[in-house]
Amino acid sequence: MVPIFTLKLNHKINPRMVAVGKFDGVHPCLTAATQAGKVFIHNPHDRGQRPATHRLSQSTQDSDISLLNINQAVTCLTAGTLGPNTTGDTLLVGSQTNLLAYDVHDNTDVFYRDVTDGANAIVLGKLGDISSPLAIIGGNCALQGFDYEGNDHFWTVTGDNVRSLALFDFTGDGKNELLVGSEDFDIRVFKEDQLVSELNENETVTSLCHMHGSRFGYALANGTVGVYDRTARYWRIKSKNHAMSIHAFDLNADGVVELITGWSNGKIDARSDRTGEVIFKDNFSSSVAGVVEGDYRLDGQVQLICTSIEGEVRGYLPASKDLKGNLMDSNAEQDRIRELSQRRQNLLLELRNYEENAKGVSQTNSGMGVIPANTQLQTTLSVRAATEAQKAHVELSISTPNETIIRAVLIFAEGIFEGESHVVHPSVQNLSGCVRVPIIPPKDIPVDLHIKAFVGGRTSTQFHVFEITRQLPRFSMYEVTEDSPAAPAGTVSFSINERPQRVVMWLNQNFLLPEVVESPNVTFHSLRGGGLMSFHMASNGQITLTTDDIDLAGDLVQSLASFLAMEDLSVEADFPSYFEELRTTLTEVDEFHSVHQKLTADMADHSNYIRNMLVQAEDARLMADMKTMKKRYRELFDLNRDLINEYTIRSNNHNALLARLKSVNQAIQRAGRLRVGKPKNQVIAACRDAIKSNNINALFRIMRAGTASS
Amino acid sequence: MELHLHRLDYTQVGVTSQKTMRLLPALGKKSTQKVAIADHDGVVTCFGMKKGEAVPVFKTLPGAKVARMDLGGAEGTPQEKIFVCSGSQVRGFTKKGKQFLTFEANLTESINALHVSGADLFVCASYIYNHYCDCKDQDYFLSGDKINDITCVSSEKLPHLIPVLACQDRVLRVLQGSELSYDIEVPGPPSVLELFNKDGGEEVLYGTTDGKIGLVQIGDCDAATKWEIGNEKRKGGILCIDTYDIIGDGVNDILVGRDDGTVEVYGFDSSREPTLRFEHVLTESVTSIQGGCVGKESYDEVLTATYTGWVTGLTSEPQRAEAVQGDEVRLSKETQSKIEALSAELEQLQVKVLQGREQYQQSSQSSTAVSAVPVFSINDKFTLCQDDASYSLTLEVPTAIDNLLLQSDVPIDLLDVDKNSAVVSFSECDSQQPNGNFLLATYRCQANTTRLELKVRSIEGQYGTLQAYITPRLQPKTCQVRQYQIKPLSLHQRTHSIDPDRPMNQLSLVGQFSFAEIHSWVVFCLPEVPEKTPAGESVTFYFHNTFLGTQIEATYCKGEGTFKSDNISTISILRDVLSKEATKKKINLNISYDINDDSVSHTLRMIHPKLEYQLLLAKKVQLIDALKELQVHEGNADFLIPEYRSILDESANLLEEYKKQPAHLDRLYGMITDLLIDKFKFKGKNVRTKVSSMLQILDHYDLNSLLDFFSEP
C-alpha cells in the first residue's frame, strides 16, 4: 500500500501540534504549529489571494499556505466546532500563558484568555452534562474548560502536569468523560470534575486517543504504546523509539479502527486494536510530528494524514476490499508455514536439550555449567536501615543452596530503576553463591520484580537461567520501630466499620515486615525522609495516622480504602507545617502577580521608546547627521540590553510564579487524596471556591475538616 | 531490465556453516535441480522440490559438524559427487547418497575450507594448506595467518591447477606446489573465493568480511585487479558468492550473500562494470548462495541457505495470484497439506516435549542427578569498522533471543544501531564497588529476533574485556557468555605498507624473552595479529590507526623488538602495556626510546583537517535552526549572506553528516589531550595542569596557536 498523496510543505512542524479543520465549513485545511511562534494553515482548495490583515499573512514561499502569528511558543493546538452559530471550525491555539480561539474564515479572534497554569494539551468537545462544547486545556496540575465566549465552565486539579487529554464515553453512560494523562505516570478519568478512575502507568503519559466503545490507546514517554478497555489493559508494546503521536483509523477497512502510531525515528505503524499485531508500516525520513485524518482530496473518502517534523505530509486511503486486510507485501501462507516451522525448530531444540541432559555428560566439561538438578534459589526481601557506607534500602538477597555460584543477576521491573532493568555482575574474584541487591524504590508503588539469575560453576561459559518473580509491597521503604521519641504533628483521623483483623491483613500485605504483626497499632520509620509514621486503630474503628508527610498519608488512605473497598470516606486532617508552607506560598503568589503586572507595564513603555528612537535615528541618517545617528543607535543598543535583562527577570518571575501555582494546585490535590469518593470531590470543589474568592482561612478549614461550613 | 524475484521457503535443516549448500547439476535441459545441504548436526541432506514440497533423495545420519561442502567428479563428467568435511575428515557421497569416500587427513586442526577438482583434493585448516591427489599427500604450505577459503584456477596456458588461498591478513596467497608464488593485497580480510567462470579460467571473485567484493585475474607471476565494489552502505560481510545468469542477458551475474541477511544480484552493464540489480533482505546470515532452478522448471532462481538452516528460493516465477472464492482466501492445496502435515508433526512434538519437561522436573527431586543443558550455537562477529573507527558486534542464535546482558570492565560507549529494535536499558555501575564494571546494559529483544547488531566505541589505551551473556527463548533457559578483547591499540588495523617519509618515534626493547613471548605481547596489544607465532627468525607487521591515520611498524625477534610510530601516544601506550606484560612474566626489559619532536606537530597537522572540518560542521549545524526560523519569519532567504544561504541549502546533508559521526569532536579532543600529556611524559613532566589551557585554545581553534602551545617547553 502506498500513500495516495505526498506533500512537502517547507515548514517545520512542531510535534503533536497538528490538526485538520474546516475553517470555512467545507474545505479541510491542515493546520500545524511551526517555528518562531507561528501556526501555518495549508489550504490547497481555496487559492484566492486574501488580504494580509490582523494575524493572518500569506506565506511568500507557497501560495497554499497562510501563516498565523502567535508571537509566543505554541504548546498545543486543535480545531473543531466550538460556537453554536459559526460557519466553520474554530482554531484553538494554546501557549504557556494564553489560549486563543480564532476564526480563520473571518480572520477574527473569538476569544483570548490568560491561562496562568499554561496549556500543555488541549481537547475540544462535550463533557458530561455541560451543554455547550468546551475547549479543555490541561496545564500545570490544572484542567480548565472554556466555552465559545471564553467563560470557564470547568475547572479541576490533577496530580501533576498534564501532558495528554482525550474526551470520550469511558463509562458507557452516553456522556463523555475526560481522560487526563500526566507526568506522575497516571491516567485519570474525570466525569466532569469527579474522578472516577485512576490507571497507573510507569512513565509520563504523552498521548491518549479514543479507539471505539470504551477502548482507548495511550503512549508513554519511554516508548510504550498500548490499548486499554476501560481499566483493563489489552496489550502494550515497548520500542526503543518514542511514540510521537497516536491516532485511531480503520486502515484495513474491516470496520474496526486500528491504532496508528507515529514514531520518533520516522516510522508509522498500524496495529490491530485487539492484539497489537502490526498490519501496516511505512517510513518517513525524519521524526513523525502528528497523525490526523480528513477528507483532504474532497472526494468523500477520509484519509489518514501523517506529517513529519520536516514538513512532509502523506495521505493514505483505507485499503480496498480485495486486499483482505493484508496491507503488507507478504504472503500469508508462506508466513504461516514459516511460523510453524520455527515452532517445530524450537520444540526440536528443546527436545534435544532434554535428551542430551538425560544422557548425562562427562563432568570434565566444566564450560557447560553443570549444576545439581535439585538446585533451587532462595530469595528474601528485607528492609535495611542506612549505614555509613550505604543508604537505606530494601535488600533482595538471592542464594543457591550448594556450591554453585551466581554469575549475574538481572532484575526487570517497572518504575523503580533508571532504565527498565538493574544488573548485578560481581567480578571474578567476588563470585559466590549469594548475591545481595540493594533496591531503593523512589515511589510507594507495588512492583513485580522479574529476577533472572545466571547460575553455574566458577569457570562455566554457559549458565542456567533461573527466572523468579517477587512482589515488592507498596510501602516497602518503612521500617518498624518500637520507640517514638517525638510524635509527628501531622494527623489524619477517620473511622471505619471494619474488624481490626482486616486492617492487620492490609498492614501485612502492604508493608515489608520482618514478622507478621497481630495488632493494628504500629509505628514505622521512613527510610526515605527519616520521619516517623504511626498507625493506630481504636476499638470503635477510629483510625489515626500520624505523619508529617501529607503525600504518604494520602497514599495510605487510598490504599486502605481500596483494600477495604470503601466508596466514600471523609477524613479530618491537620498538617501544621505543610499548611504553614502553603500559606507562605499563597502570599508569594500574590507578590509575583503584582511584580508581573508591573513588568508588563514597563515593557509597553520600552517598546514606545524603541519606536521613537528608531525614527530619530533614521531621520538623522537621512539628514546625514552621522554623529546623532550613532548616538541614537548606541542608545538603542543600550535599551536593547536593558530589554534583554528585563526579559530574564520577567521569565524568572514567571517561572517562579508557575512553580508556586503548581504547588497550590498540588496542595488541593493532596487535600483531596486524603479523602475518598464524594468527600474527596467536595473538598476539591470547595478549595477551588475558596481560592477563587481568595478566602485563605476557609481554604485551610476545608483542608482540615473536609467541608467549608463548620 | 528490472529483476523481480519472489521469496519461497523450501525447508529447514540444522544450523549451517558458510558454503555448505550446493545445487547438483541438472539432468536434462529443463528439469529442476536437486539441493545438497549439510548442517552442524553432521547431517547431509539432498532433496528436490515436487509440487512445492521438499522430497528427500537421501539424508545421512547425524555426526560431527560439517564445515564446508564442495562438488566434484571425474574430469569431463558432471560434477555431481558431494564432498563434505567435518573435523579432519573428508567424506564423499554419490548423488544417490552412497558414501564412496572416507578420508582422514590426519591434521591436528579441523578442516574449514575444501576444494575438489577431479582426483585432486585441497584442504585448509586454520594455518595449514594440504594438497592430496588420489588421497596421497602432494603439497603442504603453512600460511602466515588464518586461511578462510580456497579455490583453484586453471587455464590452458597453465600446466596445472594453481591454488589460491584467502587469508585473514588481507591477502590472497597464490601457491605453486608447496611454495608461495606471490600474494595479492585485497581491501579487507577475504572470507570467500569463487571462480568467476565456473568452467575454469584465471579470474577469481573474492568477498571480504567488511563487505567488499572484487575480481582479480591470477597470472603466472602476478595478478591484476579487474574491479572492486566498496561497501559505502555498511552492509554486512560477504559469506558466499555464486555466478549465474539470473537476469537472462547472456552474461553471468554475481549473486552475493551477506552476514546481515542481504542477498544481492550484480549484473554487468555494457562497459563490463558490475551494477546492483536486485536486493532482498532475509532476517539472518546468508551462509550459502546458488543460482539455478529448483522450485519449478524453466524458472530460474537464487537459492539461499541461512544460518538457522532455512533453504529459501528467490524465484523469477511470478507470484500466484491468490485464488479468491467468495470472501475467503483459499489456500493453495499444496500449502494446505503442508500446513496440515506441519501441524500434525507439531502436535506429536509437543507431547514429546511435555514428557521431556516432566522428566526434567522429576530429576530436580533427586539429589544426585545433575542438570546439564547442551551448549547452543552462537554465530558472533566482533570487527572494527574502518570508516567510523568503532567496533561492531553481531550475535546470531538459532532461536529467538530473549535478552542480552553486556558487561565491560573498560570504559566504552554503546552506540545506537538503527537496525536493532531491542529495548536497551543501562544499569548503574557503582564505581565504589569492587566489581570493576564500567558498563552494564541489558537488551530486551522483540519477539522473533534471532540476530542482534551492536556498535561499541573504544578508547585507545584503555583495555580489557567485553562480555556478552546471551539468553535465548528456549527451555530449559540457559545463557552463554562470549568474551571479546578490547585491545590497548584497539583502533588499529593491519596494512601491508606504510609511508616511510613520516617523522617516526621509536621504542626499542631488549631483554631475555623468546620470540613467542614477544609475539604474544604484540597479539595482546594490537588487533588482527595471528595468534600463532610466525615462522622464521623475525617478523614485521604494519598497522594504521583507523581514526587518525597514523601508523605503526613493529619488527621483533627473539630478545629484541622495535616499534615505530609517528604518533607519540601510540608509543606511550605500547611502552606502558609491554612493560606491564613483561613484569607479569618477571622478564627484565631494557626499554629505550627515540622521540622525534617533529612527530607531534606532524600528528597535529594530520588531525588538523579533520578537526577543522568537524568544527565547521558543528558550527554550521548549530546555525541551521536559527537560519530556518529567520527564513520563515522573513518569507525568504534572499537577504542572507551567501554563506548562510548555502548552509540552508545543504542543511539536510549537513545534519546527516553530523548524525553519522557522533562525538567525533570529543574523540579528537581526547586524542589531542593524550598527545599533549604523552609528549611531556616522555620528557618526564606532568602537564595535567596545562590541559585546561589547551582546551581553551581548542575552543578558538587555530592550527598555529595549537602548534605553538605544543612547542612551549
Side-chain angles (χ1 to χ4, degrees):
Chain A
M1 206 173 92
V2 287
I4 56 159
F5 66 82
T6 44
L7 301 167
K8 289 243 192 291
L9 293 182
N10 268 326
H11 286 275
K12 289 209 168 196
I13 298 178
N14 293 2
R16 302 193 177 95
M17 296 171 212
V18 184
V20 167
K22 290 180 184 171
F23 299 117
D24 59 359
V26 185
H27 302 106
C29 300
L30 188 70
T31 309
T34 181
Q35 291 167 314
K38 289 178 198 294
V39 169
F40 74 76
I41 298 162
H42 179 245
N43 185 357
H45 311 293
D46 179 17
R47 287 180 198 236
Q49 194 77 31
R50 272 162 301 174
T53 46
H54 198 48
R55 290 178 192 274
L56 211 56
S57 67
Q58 206 74 27
S59 166
T60 44
Q61 286 171 306
D62 192 338
S63 63
D64 288 345
I65 286 180
S66 324
L67 286 167
L68 193 61
N69 249 325
I70 304 296
N71 288 328
Q72 271 180 359
V74 177
T75 51
C76 59
L77 174 152
T78 193
T81 314
L82 184 65
N85 299 316
T86 47
T87 38
D89 289 347
T90 308
L91 175 66
L92 289 141
V93 182
S95 69
Q96 261 325 317
T97 50
N98 297 96
L99 174 68
L100 168 70
Y102 188 70
D103 189 322
V104 179
H105 188 242
D106 295 341
N107 208 352
T108 49
D109 287 5
V110 179
F111 65 80
Y112 185 71
R113 281 279 170 277
D114 283 342
V115 285
T116 44
D117 293 316
N120 301 337
I122 187 163
V123 72
L124 188 61
K126 284 199 167 195
L127 172 67
D129 287 324
I130 302 169
S131 57
S132 58
L134 294 180
I136 300 170
I137 55 164
N140 303 327
C141 300
L143 294 162
Q144 223 169 342
F146 296 96
D147 69 0
Y148 65 101
E149 288 174 313
N151 301 322
D152 66 332
H153 281 275
F154 169 72
W155 187 96
T156 189
V157 290
T158 179
D160 205 332
N161 294 346
V162 177
R163 291 291 296 274
S164 49
L165 293 169
L167 264 180
F168 69 93
D169 185 8
F170 179 84
T171 47
D173 59 355
K175 289 173 223 154
N176 278 345
E177 278 80 36
L178 179 66
L179 264 74
V180 182
S182 55
E183 285 178 7
D184 61 354
F185 312 168
D186 276 352
I187 302 171
R188 294 186 177 83
V189 185
F190 287 94
K191 197 179 175 64
E192 292 189 26
D193 53 4
Q194 180 194 346
L195 181 69
V196 287
S197 274
E198 219 174 326
L199 316 171
N200 296 316
E201 273 299 331
N202 47 49
E203 248 299 343
T204 301
V205 185
T206 54
S207 307
L208 289 168
C209 87
H210 178 222
M211 307 271 299
H212 58 92
S214 54
R215 208 169 280 188
F216 66 96
Y218 73 100
L220 305 182
N222 63 1
T224 306
V225 168
V227 164
Y228 269 98
D229 194 354
R230 291 226 174 93
T231 54
R233 189 163 51 212
Y234 248 67
W235 56 263
R236 60 170 168 172
I237 56 109
K238 191 174 170 188
S239 159
K240 66 170 185 172
N241 301 304
H242 300 284
M244 301 303 286
S245 177
I246 55 174
H247 189 76
F249 190 78
D250 183 11
L251 200 59
N252 59 359
D254 63 349
V256 185
V257 290
E258 284 86 44
L259 184 69
I260 318 288
T261 314
W263 298 90
S264 56
N265 62 345
K267 201 168 90 175
I268 291 272
D269 58 26
R271 290 170 185 275
S272 146
D273 72 315
R274 279 149 304 208
T275 57
E277 184 196 351
V278 177
I279 63 152
F280 172 72
K281 57 184 170 196
D282 199 0
N283 275 302
F284 280 85
S285 57
S286 56
S287 167
V288 175
V291 183
V292 288
E293 63 177 60
D295 177 11
Y296 221 61
R297 298 197 307 174
L298 291 170
D299 59 358
Q301 282 174 299
V302 175
Q303 294 111 37
L304 178 74
I305 301 169
C306 304
T307 58
S308 81
I309 56 165
E310 295 297 336
E312 191 181 348
V313 179
R314 289 186 201 164
Y316 301 89
L317 264 187
S320 58
K321 284 269 181 261
D322 37 289
L323 273 174
K324 299 275 157 293
N326 182 10
L327 306 183
M328 286 203 282
D329 184 24
S330 68
N331 187 330
E333 306 170 15
Q334 284 287 326
D335 286 351
R336 174 101 183 106
I337 291 178
R338 213 179 155 75
E339 186 204 318
L340 286 175
S341 304
Q342 191 65 51
R343 266 175 56 199
R344 183 187 65 170
Q345 191 74 2
N346 264 351
L347 288 174
L348 281 173
L349 280 169
E350 187 176 343
L351 202 60
R352 189 177 73 108
N353 277 353
Y354 295 130
E355 279 165 5
E356 296 280 324
N357 182 46
K359 267 189 223 162
V361 276
S362 54
Q363 296 284 347
T364 49
N365 189 356
S366 58
M368 255 172 76
V370 180
I371 61 166
N374 59 357
T375 307
Q376 271 182 344
L377 287 194
Q378 270 106 41
T379 59
T380 47
L381 281 168
S382 50
V383 183
R384 292 269 179 269
T387 59
E388 265 176 30
Q390 230 174 352
K391 277 192 271 182
H393 60 270
V394 175
E395 184 184 277
L396 170 70
S397 127
I398 305 165
S399 56
T400 63
N402 42 38
E403 72 283 3
T404 54
I405 55 105
I406 299 176
R407 187 66 199 91
V409 176
L410 273 65
I411 304 170
F412 286 86
E414 288 177 324
I416 59 168
F417 304 126
E418 239 168 80
E420 56 173 24
S421 69
H422 180 73
V423 181
V424 179
H425 184 277
S427 64
V428 179
Q429 301 85 38
N430 295 331
L431 283 178
S432 72
C434 178
V435 168
R436 289 176 215 282
V437 191
I439 297 171
I440 305 175
K443 294 207 311 181
D444 287 333
I445 40 167
V447 181
D448 280 330
L449 304 171
H450 302 279
I451 305 160
K452 293 177 200 288
F454 299 167
V455 178
R458 268 172 204 282
T459 54
S460 304
T461 55
Q462 178 155 318
F463 302 91
H464 284 70
V465 179
F466 283 75
E467 292 180 309
I468 307 158
T469 300
R470 281 292 302 256
Q471 203 194 47
L472 200 60
R474 181 182 286 271
F475 303 101
S476 49
M477 287 291 275
Y478 300 90
E479 190 186 24
V480 181
T481 56
E482 292 303 320
D483 53 345
S484 48
T491 55
V492 171
S493 60
F494 51 94
S495 51
I496 54 167
N497 265 332
E498 285 282 353
R499 287 171 296 128
Q501 282 84 345
R502 293 261 292 159
V503 177
V504 167
M505 204 194 285
W506 170 78
L507 278 170
N508 283 322
Q509 279 184 15
N510 285 279
F511 286 83
L512 205 55
L513 301 165
E515 53 207 33
V516 174
V517 290
E518 312 265 312
S519 96
N521 301 324
V522 209
T523 303
F524 294 96
H525 175 77
S526 166
L527 296 185
R528 281 200 201 92
L532 287 174
M533 186 271 289
S534 71
F535 192 92
H536 178 81
M537 186 175 181
S539 50
N540 62 356
Q542 176 83 15
I543 291 180
T544 316
L545 279 169
T546 53
T547 172
D548 277 332
D549 186 346
I550 188 168
D551 280 321
L552 172 61
D555 283 344
L556 288 166
V557 168
Q558 296 296 324
S559 166
L560 182 62
S562 72
F563 182 81
L564 301 173
M566 289 187 290
E567 279 179 2
D568 293 318
L569 179 70
S570 56
V571 168
E572 284 193 19
D574 191 18
F575 292 91
S577 56
Y578 181 74
F579 288 167
E580 203 43 56
E581 237 173 74
L582 184 60
R583 199 181 285 274
T584 10
T585 309
L586 284 166
T587 43
E588 277 169 359
V589 167
D590 285 343
E591 282 165 21
F592 284 122
H593 257 305
S594 57
V595 172
H596 174 75
Q597 265 152 11
K598 192 177 157 289
L599 287 173
T600 316
D602 285 356
M603 191 176 58
D605 286 352
H606 277 305
S607 49
N608 279 335
Y609 281 142
I610 292 174
R611 233 169 270 145
N612 289 338
M613 244 178 251
L614 203 61
V615 170
Q616 284 175 8
E618 283 300 287
D619 279 352
R621 189 175 65 85
L622 289 175
M623 288 158 69
D625 182 358
M626 289 305 154
K627 207 173 146 200
T628 321
M629 184 194 84
K630 268 189 190 164
K631 195 175 150 217
R632 295 284 173 244
Y633 271 116
R634 211 172 297 128
E635 281 169 2
L636 206 55
F637 179 75
D638 291 341
L639 191 60
N640 184 48
R641 203 174 40 212
D642 287 353
L643 271 176
I644 292 173
N645 286 341
E646 248 176 60
Y647 168 77
T648 330
I649 297 170
R650 210 149 43 90
S651 93
N652 286 344
N653 181 65
H654 180 72
N655 286 337
L657 177 62
L658 274 190
R660 301 299 185 285
L661 284 176
K662 184 177 165 184
S663 64
V664 171
N665 283 337
Q666 258 169 350
I668 299 177
Q669 168 75 8
R670 281 172 176 153
R673 265 187 81 79
L674 294 173
R675 284 89 184 175
V676 182
K678 261 199 204 105
K680 176 177 180 176
N681 298 319
Q682 280 163 5
V683 165
I684 292 177
C687 283
R688 179 157 199 214
D689 289 341
I691 287 200
K692 249 190 174 174
S693 55
N694 212 0
N695 188 345
I696 292 175
N697 287 330
L699 178 72
F700 289 114
R701 204 158 54 233
I702 297 156
M703 286 185 169
R704 283 195 192 96
T707 46
S709 52
S710 63
Chain B
M1 192 190 115
E2 235 184 298
L3 190 58
H4 289 285
L5 300 175
H6 300 287
R7 177 177 168 180
L8 267 180
D9 294 331
Y10 291 131
T11 188
Q12 192 179 18
V13 296
V15 174
T16 64
S17 288
Q18 190 192 355
K19 285 173 81 175
T20 48
M21 185 271 296
R22 296 294 292 259
L23 276 179
L24 300 182
L27 292 171
K29 186 87 190 99
K30 288 225 152 175
S31 63
T32 58
Q33 291 171 272
K34 304 265 187 289
V35 183
I37 183 166
D39 59 24
H40 280 194
D41 301 330
V43 180
V44 182
T45 317
C46 179
F47 68 90
M49 294 305 293
K50 240 180 214 157
K51 286 183 185 163
E53 214 159 325
V55 181
V57 177
F58 72 87
K59 202 173 176 181
T60 65
L61 291 172
K65 155 184 162 180
V66 175
R68 203 50 73 88
M69 172 186 282
D70 198 13
L71 296 183
E75 247 170 274
T77 63
Q79 304 286 303
E80 54 185 20
K81 301 227 165 23
I82 304 158
F83 293 88
V84 295
C85 59
S86 36
S88 65
Q89 199 181 52
V90 178
R91 286 177 293 164
F93 297 91
T94 64
K95 63 175 178 174
K96 300 272 180 230
K98 189 171 157 272
Q99 187 169 346
F100 65 90
L101 172 80
T102 311
F103 172 65
E104 183 56 55
N106 279 330
L107 299 175
T108 45
E109 285 152 346
S110 39
I111 300 171
N112 53 21
L114 173 79
H115 184 81
V116 183
S117 175
D120 293 295
L121 171 68
F122 304 85
V123 299
C124 297
S126 308
Y127 299 92
I128 309 161
Y129 152 83
N130 247 319
H131 172 203
Y132 305 92
C133 188
D134 285 322
C135 297
K136 281 190 201 76
D137 223 336
Q138 296 286 320
D139 295 316
Y140 169 83
F141 177 73
L142 188 65
S143 161
D145 207 336
K146 273 198 188 112
I147 305 168
N148 291 331
D149 202 5
I150 179 173
T151 193
C152 289
V153 293
S154 64
S155 82
E156 286 144 17
K157 278 189 275 172
L158 304 168
H160 45 79
L161 291 173
I162 300 180
V164 182
L165 311 180
C167 302
Q168 185 66 27
D169 52 354
R170 294 156 200 268
V171 291
L172 306 181
R173 290 194 162 85
V174 181
L175 305 183
Q176 184 136 40
S178 295
E179 297 300 320
L180 176 69
S181 171
Y182 60 91
D183 51 23
I184 310 158
E185 279 175 35
V186 290
S191 48
V192 54
L193 293 176
E194 210 64 57
L195 290 179
F196 187 52
N197 187 343
K198 276 188 186 162
D199 303 328
E202 299 155 355
E203 290 176 319
V204 173
L205 282 166
Y206 64 83
T208 66
T209 50
D210 52 2
K212 295 170 187 136
I213 308 163
L215 180 70
V216 287
Q217 179 157 23
I218 309 287
D220 247 342
C221 46
D222 64 342
T225 304
K226 293 275 182 184
W227 48 256
E228 267 174 35
I229 306 172
N231 186 20
E232 280 89 28
K233 288 197 175 154
R234 296 188 196 168
K235 292 179 195 165
I238 313 286
L239 282 181
C240 46
I241 299 180
D242 193 28
T243 54
Y244 188 76
D245 180 18
I246 184 92
I247 298 174
D249 55 1
V251 184
N252 268 356
D253 310 309
I254 301 173
L255 319 178
V256 177
R258 294 179 186 260
D259 64 7
D260 63 347
T262 315
V263 177
E264 292 169 324
V265 176
Y266 287 90
F268 288 92
D269 53 17
S270 46
S271 58
R272 306 283 295 149
E273 286 291 318
T275 42
L276 184 63
R277 302 296 285 272
F278 173 81
E279 188 176 346
H280 184 89
V281 182
L282 301 170
T283 50
E284 47 200 57
S285 305
V286 180
T287 50
S288 314
I289 194 162
Q290 294 274 285
C293 172
V294 177
K296 198 162 186 191
E297 49 211 56
S298 65
Y299 287 109
D300 284 341
E301 66 184 275
V302 178
L303 190 72
T304 59
T306 62
Y307 169 67
T308 59
W310 271 103
V311 183
T312 306
L314 293 165
T315 170
S316 54
E317 183 190 351
Q319 211 168 19
R320 283 156 295 168
E322 279 166 21
V324 179
Q325 272 191 349
D327 229 354
E328 260 176 50
V329 183
R330 196 171 57 103
L331 299 174
S332 68
K333 254 186 200 153
E334 296 138 31
T335 9
Q336 200 141 32
S337 65
K338 214 169 167 181
I339 288 177
E340 272 166 24
L342 262 176
S343 305
E345 195 185 341
L346 270 180
E347 254 168 53
Q348 281 180 358
L349 271 175
Q350 201 90 49
V351 174
K352 268 194 194 165
V353 166
L354 276 179
Q355 284 172 353
R357 246 181 239 175
E358 230 162 75
Q359 265 173 15
Y360 184 74
Q361 289 297 332
Q362 268 167 12
S363 77
S364 72
Q365 307 295 323
S366 126
S367 55
T368 52
V370 292
S371 166
V373 179
V375 177
F376 58 88
S377 141
I378 298 178
N379 184 14
D380 58 345
K381 191 171 133 186
F382 187 63
T383 46
L384 179 64
C385 300
Q386 208 171 339
D387 44 358
D388 62 352
S390 66
Y391 277 87
S392 113
L393 172 63
T394 53
L395 297 161
E396 195 171 14
V397 292
T399 49
I401 303 173
D402 184 60
N403 65 69
L404 169 76
L405 163 63
L406 274 189
Q407 180 266 344
S408 165
D409 57 4
V410 272
I412 51 170
D413 291 324
L414 265 186
L415 307 180
D416 191 40
V417 179
D418 283 343
K419 266 186 263 177
N420 182 348
S421 65
V423 179
V424 62
S425 143
F426 293 94
S427 180
E428 209 178 307
C429 304
D430 196 352
S431 47
Q432 300 293 310
Q433 64 181 12
N435 291 331
N437 296 319
F438 276 100
L439 170 81
L440 286 172
T442 54
Y443 280 83
R444 194 167 51 79
C445 297
Q446 311 283 355
N448 297 330
T449 308
T450 55
R451 190 172 185 281
L452 260 186
E453 203 176 315
L454 314 167
K455 249 181 188 300
V456 168
R457 208 164 46 202
S458 60
I459 303 162
E460 287 215 323
Q462 312 250 31
Y463 55 99
T465 319
L466 172 69
Q467 298 193 93
Y469 292 84
I470 306 123
T471 314
R473 273 183 200 163
L474 185 64
Q475 293 296 331
K477 270 224 173 139
T478 54
C479 86
Q480 221 179 93
V481 58
R482 284 287 159 115
Q483 296 189 328
Y484 307 95
Q485 299 305 325
I486 309 277
K487 301 201 171 181
L489 294 169
S490 51
L491 300 181
H492 281 77
Q493 201 171 46
R494 274 279 290 281
T495 59
H496 291 280
S497 60
I498 57 169
D499 177 6
D501 298 333
R502 296 186 184 175
M504 296 293 247
N505 306 295
Q506 187 173 324
L507 175 76
S508 312
L509 307 177
V510 182
Q512 293 291 319
F513 49 79
S514 67
F515 190 32
E517 267 164 338
I518 184 162
H519 180 75
S520 72
W521 300 337
V522 173
V523 170
F524 183 80
C525 287
L526 283 150
E528 302 190 9
V529 183
E531 269 175 37
K532 205 170 82 49
T533 312
E537 300 259 295
S538 78
V539 71
T540 304
F541 289 115
Y542 301 108
F543 303 89
H544 82 272
N545 186 318
T546 51
F547 193 70
L548 291 180
T550 56
Q551 52 196 26
I552 304 180
E553 181 189 331
T555 308
Y556 51 91
C557 59
K558 178 175 179 292
E560 208 179 310
T562 48
F563 298 87
K564 290 182 190 167
S565 170
D566 51 345
N567 187 344
I568 203 164
S569 298
T570 310
I571 293 289
S572 163
I573 293 168
L574 274 172
R575 181 188 64 174
D576 292 352
V577 179
L578 288 173
S579 54
K580 211 176 195 174
E581 284 302 297
T583 322
K584 257 191 221 164
K585 293 213 166 169
K586 299 208 172 69
I587 292 173
N588 222 345
L589 274 192
N590 194 351
I591 301 180
S592 62
Y593 33 81
D594 174 16
I595 300 303
N596 185 339
D597 275 338
D598 290 343
S599 74
V600 177
S601 54
H602 157 80
T603 311
L604 285 175
R605 284 206 176 86
M606 284 196 72
I607 297 175
H608 172 67
K610 293 186 173 74
L611 189 60
E612 201 177 32
Y613 173 76
Q614 288 295 331
L615 284 168
L616 200 63
L617 185 67
K619 211 169 162 187
K620 283 181 177 172
V621 167
Q622 212 177 6
L623 282 173
I624 288 176
D625 268 349
L627 287 175
K628 281 213 167 150
E629 195 164 329
L630 273 176
Q631 189 185 17
V632 172
H633 207 85
E634 298 294 326
N636 59 45
D638 299 343
F639 64 96
L640 291 172
I641 58 170
E643 188 194 332
Y644 287 166
R645 257 183 291 171
S646 77
I647 293 178
L648 271 178
D649 293 342
E650 292 168 18
S651 58
N653 290 340
L654 291 172
L655 280 172
E656 198 170 313
E657 189 70 21
Y658 192 66
K659 235 194 233 145
K660 233 195 251 172
Q661 298 167 318
H664 205 98
L665 211 50
D666 292 342
R667 285 175 97 183
L668 284 171
Y669 278 15
M671 287 182 188
I672 296 172
T673 313
D674 286 347
L675 209 59
L676 180 78
I677 292 170
D678 292 329
K679 178 189 156 130
F680 287 97
K681 204 161 85 180
F682 279 104
K683 295 191 168 156
K685 280 188 207 161
N686 188 342
V687 287
R688 282 191 191 273
T689 46
K690 283 177 99 176
V691 170
S692 61
S693 45
M694 189 203 66
L695 286 176
Q696 264 170 18
I697 291 178
L698 284 178
D699 280 343
H700 310 279
Y701 175 68
D702 168 54
L703 178 62
N704 288 324
S705 52
L706 187 66
L707 286 174
D708 289 347
F709 182 81
F710 266 79
S711 53
E712 276 172 32

